Amino acid sequence: MSALNILHVDKTFGNTQVLKDISLAIESGEFLILVGPSGCGKSTLMNAIAGLEPVTSGDIQIGGEDVTWRTPAERDIAMVFQSYALYPSMNVRQNIAFGLEMRKMPKAQREEAVARVADLLQITPLLDRKPSQLSGGQRQRVAMGRALAREPQIYLFDEPLSNLDAKLRVEMRTEIKKLHQRLGTTIVYVTHDQIEAMTLADRIAVMRDGEILQLGTPDEVYNDPVDMFVAGFMGSPSMNFIPVTLVSRDDGYVLRVLDEQDPTGAPLELPWPPAREAQALHEWVGERLILGVRPEHFVEDETRMETSFDGTRLDVMATVVEPTGADILLQATLSGTEVTMRLGPKSQVAAGERVALRVDMSRAVLFETTNQRRVA
Amino acid sequence: MDNVIRRRTPGARMLRAGLYALLMVMALVYLLPLVVMLLTSLKPLEEIRAGGLLSLPDSLTFAAWLKAWGSACTGTRCEGLSGYFMNSVSIVVPAVAISTLMGALNGYALTKWRFRGANLCFALLLFGCFIPFQVVLMPMAQTLGWLGLASSTSGLVLVHVVYGIAFTTLFFRNYYVSIPDEMIAAAKLDGAGFFRIFWRILLPISGPIITVSVIWQFTQIWNDFLFGVAFAGFGSQPVTVALNNLVNTSTGVKEYNVDMAGALIAALPTLVVYVVAGKYFVRGLTAGSVKG
Ligand SMILES: Nc1ncnc2c1ncn2[C@@H]1O[C@H](COP(=O)(O)OP(=O)(O)OP(=O)(O)O)[C@@H](O)[C@H]1O
Ligand SMILES: [Mg+2]
């Protein structure tokens, strides 16, 4: 049985429709992550689940019961906010116990619960402090403690880590993952952080303009995107989009890369892997399409022996070289299109030099130019 | 020590000296009436008649204060201001408490439980801040009559509460607007309702604005004369009305020292409140959002 079931939910503010026919089912114990550009309705959806905003139409079920018109208090949900939203006048202990007190839990049990989550989150020494006496990371823990103490059916996290510095964010991310594995809680989590989304989620829902474009495992969303938006949104640096024309040859399909600047030169041609000749591909012969290749699907030619794939050879001019430490990001022009590539840290490429590369076409994707849907 | 780098030429120094002299004169002009009142109230009547408004008293006496407090005539009764002072207290305390509490509730509802028409509601309430007292005298008198509260302390309390709510609502609304909605959302999810959130979450962090509201309302209501003279009965007249009667009582000689002492007695509470809590008043007016 699904822990949370959202059925055809619409939400309008005045004349703007912020949520458009959203349907979702989340299994008990599942970790669902909502991603999408700013203003796409993620927080609105969270507020609708929590009961902080009424939906315009549609139903919300929690644990099989219809809760569409129940107050937040009646829904058995806890939420962790980006701003933490701790009660400034109460100390940490009271902050954590407040929800239990409101639910009429006896004092002894309340103290037990506070001690339990304080231990779990290692905030026992902070219990008698006021929120104003805590650091950002500590406040974040207290906010989580407040949610955990109640043991609700569903946890909602709205960008809980975005106010923390990079190092603390990674630590808390790991901790949230551990907590989820240990407690088996059902979580809906909003984030802007690609890595947070990929590492934490059981499933990711990619939203845009109040719609869910794709709902799938991190692997599906990353490697098998439904359209150009999802493909471009997931992954950092994002996927390269290269305009091509599909050409049919005796030995299979070929993608001819169009060079707007130099239409007379010999066009670059990339063979489409025979193993991936989709049934529908022949309809697109002679048409313009968009080829999607992720930065890590390029490999420097010298290093080819070390990697398993047998790519197609390319020769490009490096324009910008950005070492990130773990690897090197290379900007280059590929037949007139700016392309980003991720090379190994040992690469000796310098800006202005020509580089020999191989591209792994077996993981490339193709999109329609008009509505940006996936072709193959 | 001031914290400004300024030019140190002789001309600039002269200018500063002139500026300070001017400021001192202005301060003196402002303070003089108070000084005269205080000096006069501490002199015996003969000394006042002998002239010398600004001369220090030869023989210091608190007789005028005692008389103003205990036995001066206000109209036909000669019991001093003490009873009226107490009348004022029994008007001011409930009126301040009720109007502050209602302002807080209004501000809370207008910002954290936004309903359809909340903005219109607030705009209409704000009108109350701009309606002159005189305009409402007749309708208010009629209303008090209907309610059976004419000439009573409760009637005056009601008038002041009604008039004060516009201001207190404005104060609290502007304060609560800066408190993050997420805090209220968290409390709702924790299972707290409308009043629980108000008492447990919002009121404990409203100290600065409560101070502002209390000082403001206290000063307004304590100093009110018009409503007092229009709506109070004999037994419920506030000290401002009594002071007027005391000064205007025409039997016998004019006792300036008693008049001045009476005026000071009537003004003392607001002075004390301002001196004691003034800095909180300023702090509260400028207080921004409450950091979590
Ligand atoms: N109370 C409101 N009244 C009118 N419009 C609103 C209201 N709340 C949100 N919106 C609009 O709804 C849209 C979605 O907002 P929402 O806060 O859900 O975005 P989001 O996906 O959470 O964005 P972010 O990533 O920046 O947090 C926005 O265009 C916003 O302007
Ligand atoms: Mg948001």
Side-chain angles (χ1 to χ4, degrees), chain B residues 209-275:
Chain B
I209 205 65
I210 291 176
T211 316
V212 168
S213 174
V214 165
I215 293 180
W216 175 268
Q217 282 298 91
F218 184 91
T219 315
Q220 292 293 310
I221 300 172
W222 186 274
N223 288 343
D224 163 70
F225 176 76
L226 189 62
F227 286 158
V229 83
F231 301 134
F234 266 123
S236 58
Q237 277 175 341
V239 71
T240 45
V241 175
L243 177 67
N244 178 63
N245 294 344
L246 182 147
V247 174
N248 287 339
T249 300
S250 50
T251 50
V253 286
K254 193 106 190 97
E255 295 179 296
Y256 290 109
N257 52 356
V258 176
D259 292 354
M260 295 302 167
L264 284 172
I265 287 172
L268 216 51
T270 47
L271 272 177
V272 168
V273 163
Y274 189 73
V275 168

Side-chain angles (χ1 to χ4, degrees), chain A residues 72-88:
Chain A
E74 295 166 334
R75 291 192 186 201
D76 202 11
I77 277 179
M79 191 156 170
V80 177
F81 297 90
Q82 184 175 4
S83 63
Y84 315 138
L86 301 177
Y87 312 129

Side-chain angles (χ1 to χ4, degrees), chain A residues 42-43 158-159 190:
Chain A
K42 305 180 294 292
S43 298
D158 197 347
E159 303 189 39
V190 172

Side-chain angles (χ1 to χ4, degrees), chain A residues 13-14 16 18 36-45 53 82 158-159 190 192:
Chain A
F13 284 116
T16 45
V18 177
S38 192
C40 69
K42 305 180 294 292
S43 298
T44 307
L45 181 56
E53 287 272 5
Q82 184 175 4
D158 197 347
E159 303 189 39
V190 172
H192 274 117

